[in-house]
Amino acid sequence: MHQRRPEEPPSTPPPPRGTIGSTRPPSAVRIGDFVYLVGAYQRVRDMRSAGTAAHRVLIFARRAPWVMREARTTGPSACSDHSPCSDGASSLSPHHARSFAMRFRKIHGAGNDFILLSNLGLDYDNDWSKEAERLCARRTGVGADGLVISRLINDSPAVLEVACFNADSSVATMCGNALRCSAWAAHRDHGFQQMSLRMAGVVHEAVVSDESVWVTAEVGAVLPRRLQAVINGRPTWFDSAHTGTEHVVAIVDDVDAIDAVMVGRLVRHHIDLAPLGTNVNFVQSTGQQALKLRTYERGVEAETLSCGSGAVAAVVVATMRGLVARRAVTVHNRAGEPLTVRPHDARPNRTHWVGGPVTHTFEGVLA
């Protein structure tokens, strides 16, 4: 069992050259700033909303994303993301990658495919964002929607730390299918049937059964009529739903009649959603407690065959709009491998389960 180190030592060392230390709230931190964590200043590579204006998910190059909920010791950077610090300030405590072959799994959750590394020690680190861009390339790499790093933190009870890096090198603060694939691998490797998965500071429950793998998704702000766009000549409203990451959802008559890539890309970069952007979902009611979904995913910058957090967002919005009742809903996708979304028994208003198949495609070794 690994004990968690305290986040703050008794005294704070001076900030690195190029910074001026001060205490600031999450809303004041910017990309390129330094935040003091676990005994060292960490440079913020990117950030995401944490579902509330008061919190931020901070993303670093060489450690897991972290949710900043209160004021911390920080310092602005004298370097830019386009001009890295020559004195090493951009990576203050680097863990140099070791030269050895890494085994990986190619795995997909209902068509959403990943390169999964799950046998790394806690002390092994790398610039996974850069690796994700290289490995996920469809023509020159292994090819995938994302790279998933899963580490066992504790085995009784079972706890894993999961990080997901999108194909464009950005960090996913929530990816339901990546969590489901990680839970499947933990069941295969360690025999766990129930476990906790921690992604970007949020703990998700996971249950593995014979036919499906289930994980929880936390539902944040739901805003009706967030923005409007013209689709096939018709003005269409998009509602927004935060399911661990940003989503907008449009209810349409026929999802197959929509150019999901063209419309999705326009809405994803809509000025009303700047600077974070969003995932874009098109949803059609296909019968009692059934939906059909297409998703343009931010970070992949393309339509994916399935999206777990998008399925949850679709069900939340469809429930708000009266298209489905507050019970299990089947969400059909482009892969033809439906996901099921249902409210959590103990927390039905803020937590949903999303479950479905996971397929292990092949294994390999990264040179």
Side-chain angles (χ1 to χ4, degrees):
M1 179 174 178
H2 299 277
Q3 293 184 341
R4 187 181 180 88
R5 293 182 297 174
E7 287 195 340
E8 288 282 7
S11 62
T12 301
R17 183 162 64 86
T19 66
I20 302 174
S22 63
T23 300
R24 290 187 291 168
S27 59
V29 176
R30 299 290 181 264
I31 294 173
D33 288 353
F34 291 93
V35 176
Y36 190 74
L37 284 177
V38 198
Y41 279 90
Q42 310 287 340
R43 191 173 186 220
V44 179
R45 186 181 186 275
D46 199 356
M47 64 176 64
R48 295 284 186 269
S49 165
T52 171
H55 300 163
R56 294 287 186 275
V57 178
L58 304 186
I59 296 163
F60 309 96
R62 290 179 172 85
R63 61 162 284 140
W66 177 75
V67 181
M68 186 176 179
R69 295 185 172 90
E70 57 189 16
R72 304 282 295 198
T73 301
T74 64
S77 175
C79 319
S80 71
D81 285 332
H82 301 291
S83 301
C85 302
S86 60
D87 63 357
S90 61
S91 55
L92 304 173
S93 300
H95 296 279
H96 297 292
R98 297 167 178 82
S99 298
F100 68 90
M102 290 184 291
R103 295 198 63 82
F104 72 92
R105 286 184 170 107
K106 181 66 187 297
I107 191 168
H108 71 85
N112 198 186
D113 64 331
F114 304 98
I115 302 160
L116 175 64
L117 302 178
S118 56
N119 60 347
L120 301 180
L122 290 172
D123 61 341
Y124 183 88
D125 220 335
N126 201 351
D127 188 348
W128 296 118
S129 292
K130 185 180 296 184
E131 286 296 290
E133 190 171 19
R134 180 177 71 88
L135 295 174
C136 292
R138 296 287 181 183
R139 291 177 180 269
T140 57
V142 178
D145 292 329
L147 171 66
V148 179
I149 312 298
S150 179
R151 290 182 169 98
L152 181 64
I153 302 298
N154 190 32
D155 57 7
S156 184
V159 180
L160 293 96
E161 183 83 40
V162 181
C164 181
F165 300 85
N166 293 316
D168 72 346
S169 82
S170 63
V171 177
T173 56
M174 164 59 180
C175 182
N177 284 324
L179 289 170
R180 293 193 320 103
C181 289
S182 297
W184 179 93
H187 172 68
R188 178 78 171 265
D189 295 342
H190 306 286
F192 304 142
Q193 287 192 301
Q194 298 184 24
M195 67 204 82
S196 296
L197 306 176
R198 193 167 61 208
M199 178 179 280
V202 177
V203 177
H204 303 267
E205 300 172 49
V207 176
V208 181
S209 66
D210 291 338
E211 301 296 330
S212 297
V213 180
W214 295 83
V215 298
T216 55
E218 302 300 313
V219 179
V222 180
L223 302 176
R225 297 198 166 198
R226 181 69 186 277
L227 64 88
Q228 191 179 54
V230 177
I231 302 178
N232 294 340
R234 297 178 58 181
T236 303
W237 283 104
F238 285 82
D239 304 320
S240 68
H242 196 283
T243 56
T245 186
E246 295 78 11
H247 282 274
V248 294
V249 179
I251 306 296
V252 299
D253 295 331
D254 183 4
V255 293
D256 293 325
I258 293 172
D259 187 335
V261 173
M262 182 189 74
V263 179
R265 186 175 291 127
L266 290 173
V267 174
R268 178 256 188 273
H269 292 286
H270 197 282
I271 190 171
D272 289 348
L273 302 171
L276 296 176
T278 188
N279 300 283
V280 184
N281 302 272
F282 307 94
V283 180
Q284 172 188 347
S285 175
T286 57
Q288 187 176 18
Q289 297 301 108
L291 302 172
K292 189 173 183 180
L293 173 67
R294 295 179 67 183
T295 302
Y296 180 92
E297 284 202 46
R298 178 187 63 189
V300 182
E301 303 306 331
E303 181 181 10
T304 55
L305 297 180
S306 174
C307 179
S309 60
V312 175
V315 169
V316 168
V317 168
T319 302
M320 178 182 70
R321 293 294 179 188
L323 298 179
V324 295
R326 194 182 291 271
R327 57 179 189 271
V329 178
T330 301
V331 182
H332 298 276
N333 51 41
R334 298 286 278 180
E337 299 186 13
L339 295 172
T340 300
V341 177
R342 57 180 172 83
H344 193 285
D345 290 339
R347 307 183 300 275
N349 293 326
R350 62 184 179 91
T351 306
H352 283 63
W353 287 98
V354 56
V358 168
T359 302
H360 182 203
T361 309
F362 63 86
E363 295 185 8
V365 176
L366 300 176

